[in-house]
Amino acid sequence: MSPLVPSSPNVFSAEAVTKHTNISFKDGNIALLAGKRYFLVHQGLLCRHSPVLKAALETLENTSTIFSLEGRPVLEVQDSSEDMSYFLIALYDGIPNLSFTAETYGIISALLRLATKYQVQRLRNDLLQGLAITWPSSLTSWDAREAAMLDSDGIYEPRKCTPHPIFIINLARSVDAPELLPSAFYDLSRSPISHTAAGYIAPGTLDCHRLSDEDLINLLKGREDASRFLSTFLVNHLEGRKPSSNCIYMQVGNQSRRRFCQLAFENVFCDLLRATNSLVCDRSCDPLFAIMDGEMIYERGDGRFLRPCEFCRAEFHAEVEAARDGFWHSLPEWFGNIQVSVWG
């Protein structure tokens, strides 16, 4: 069925619908009907922003029988009145004050779906740019996002700040926004698989949201590839790691001191291995964090870990950066060969 239906007297009576008083204008020249509510708005504004609505209004002008409300011709759309109210407010006022949080996900989703449906490209671009702050395409932006998820006590609580990634994956599929998918899949891959397979119960509506079967398989495959990458990194860059050729401690005569940096990296390897194979911390299924944590462990200065010399640290830092960059660039391929124009 077409999303736009020129109205006729047989569809409804004037008594069956009510005006949305907050989004109706005395000089409005078109009645936009959504569900049981109508909006008196400006035809020129609709035509300026949406080629789909412009075409529908041109078709309406050529229709012999037109139903009217308050003396204005009626264009009926197959959207809820609530979603349409968000959409019209965005057309008139823009979205400069819209926050992209878990609480506003319903509004954002409605706006993005309608902006896509009615081809309002400016609004669609603004919404995707806002979502990209939380579901970015660059590793630098991802790290900034992750840092913002820490509360004042340093506790990592992303679900309090952002919509559930199942929402984002399903939304991105419905509006053809593949650039949101890799980071959303990666975010979801860090959650227990049993929770993801069971679906996410939305607190407000108690509706259960699930991935499609295809995307659940994509998630499992991507999670396996990410885990394999981390294991390979631990083996190749930490297990039995040799000191730098410029290692300060290798220049001293004391044999025990000559092994200082090697022992330091052995401690890091054991700690990361224990964390990634257990529930030692809440982020044990987060390879990007685990690789970075290999560096952070000896920088914390809590006395639990030896600190390698500056030359050994510099070499390991370069390897960590290269590994995390390679990991990030692999996400689209791992989670279903997602085709994105710009990534990384």
Side-chain angles (χ1 to χ4, degrees):
M1 181 183 293
S2 171
L4 300 160
V5 183
S7 302
S8 69
N10 297 324
V11 176
F12 52 79
S13 63
E15 292 76 16
V17 297
T18 57
K19 180 167 66 176
H20 195 297
T21 55
N22 291 335
I23 315 176
S24 288
F25 305 90
K26 290 182 179 180
D27 62 344
N29 56 359
I30 190 76
L32 194 64
L33 179 65
K36 297 298 183 182
R37 306 194 74 179
Y38 66 93
F39 309 81
L40 299 182
V41 292
H42 302 93
Q43 180 172 338
L45 179 99
L46 300 183
C47 292
R48 176 178 175 80
H49 290 289
S50 169
V52 176
L53 289 173
K54 180 180 180 181
L57 288 165
E58 290 173 350
T59 300
L60 187 64
E61 291 176 352
N62 297 324
T63 303
S64 58
T65 304
I66 302 177
F67 189 76
S68 65
L69 284 168
E70 298 190 35
R72 283 86 159 181
V74 174
L75 178 67
E76 185 178 9
V77 293
Q78 304 303 305
D79 307 294
S80 74
S81 59
E82 182 179 24
D83 288 355
M84 184 52 62
S85 69
Y86 298 142
F87 180 64
L88 290 172
I89 290 173
L91 290 186
Y92 275 98
D93 301 335
I95 55 171
N97 299 317
L98 180 63
S99 59
F100 290 77
T101 65
E103 289 74 19
T104 60
Y105 171 77
I107 297 174
I108 295 167
S109 174
L111 285 175
L112 186 53
R113 291 178 193 278
L114 293 191
T116 302
K117 175 180 178 180
Y118 294 117
Q119 297 177 20
V120 183
Q121 199 60 45
R122 173 191 57 79
L123 178 58
R124 175 183 161 90
N125 290 342
D126 289 346
L127 290 164
L128 290 176
Q129 287 175 12
L131 287 170
I133 296 173
T134 307
W135 315 100
S137 59
S138 75
L139 179 56
T140 300
S141 297
W142 175 264
D143 287 341
R145 177 247 204 211
E146 292 292 270
M149 299 302 161
L150 299 173
D151 66 14
S152 57
D153 297 319
I155 304 300
Y156 181 70
E157 295 182 313
R159 297 295 173 261
K160 287 189 176 181
C161 308
T162 64
H164 197 280
I166 288 179
F167 285 150
I168 299 301
I169 291 170
N170 291 341
L171 176 62
R173 292 295 192 196
S174 69
V175 300
D176 190 26
E179 63 270 26
L180 301 175
L181 288 171
S183 57
F185 267 114
Y186 178 64
D187 188 11
L188 186 59
S189 74
R190 303 179 299 175
S191 300
I193 290 298
S194 58
H195 293 183
T196 301
Y200 173 70
I201 306 296
T205 63
L206 299 182
D207 293 334
C208 184
H209 298 266
R210 291 186 173 90
L211 294 180
S212 67
D213 291 344
E214 182 179 0
D215 276 339
L216 183 58
I217 292 173
N218 289 333
L219 177 72
L220 294 173
K221 289 180 178 178
R223 193 173 192 266
E224 182 179 348
D225 286 336
S227 178
R228 185 182 300 112
F229 186 100
L230 176 59
S231 298
T232 302
F233 172 82
L234 293 179
V235 170
N236 291 346
H237 298 281
L238 274 172
E239 185 179 20
R241 182 180 181 85
K242 303 297 183 183
S244 166
S245 58
N246 297 315
C247 176
I248 293 174
Y249 296 109
M250 290 294 289
Q251 313 305 319
V252 301
N254 189 307
Q255 187 62 32
S256 61
R257 296 290 287 173
R258 289 167 65 89
R259 296 192 66 247
F260 187 90
C261 289
Q262 186 172 354
L263 289 172
F265 285 117
E266 285 178 5
N267 289 341
V268 171
F269 171 73
C270 292
D271 191 75
L272 287 183
L273 192 63
R274 185 174 70 254
T276 55
N277 287 287
S278 67
L279 297 178
V280 170
C281 68
D282 293 333
R283 302 181 69 176
S284 58
C285 293
D286 188 343
L288 269 177
F289 175 79
I291 294 171
M292 181 175 62
D293 198 41
E295 235 184 331
M296 294 167 56
I297 285 175
Y298 53 71
E299 296 291 356
R300 291 178 186 136
D302 57 8
R304 293 175 52 237
F305 292 91
L306 302 175
R307 191 167 187 261
C309 75
E310 58 181 291
F311 294 105
C312 289
R313 293 199 310 272
E315 285 191 6
F316 185 58
H317 172 75
E319 293 173 16
V320 165
E321 292 294 299
R324 296 183 80 243
D325 188 62
F327 184 101
W328 184 260
H329 278 83
S330 299
L331 292 181
E333 178 185 354
W334 289 345
F335 291 103
N337 289 311
I338 302 166
Q339 300 301 309
V340 288
S341 56
V342 178
W343 186 257

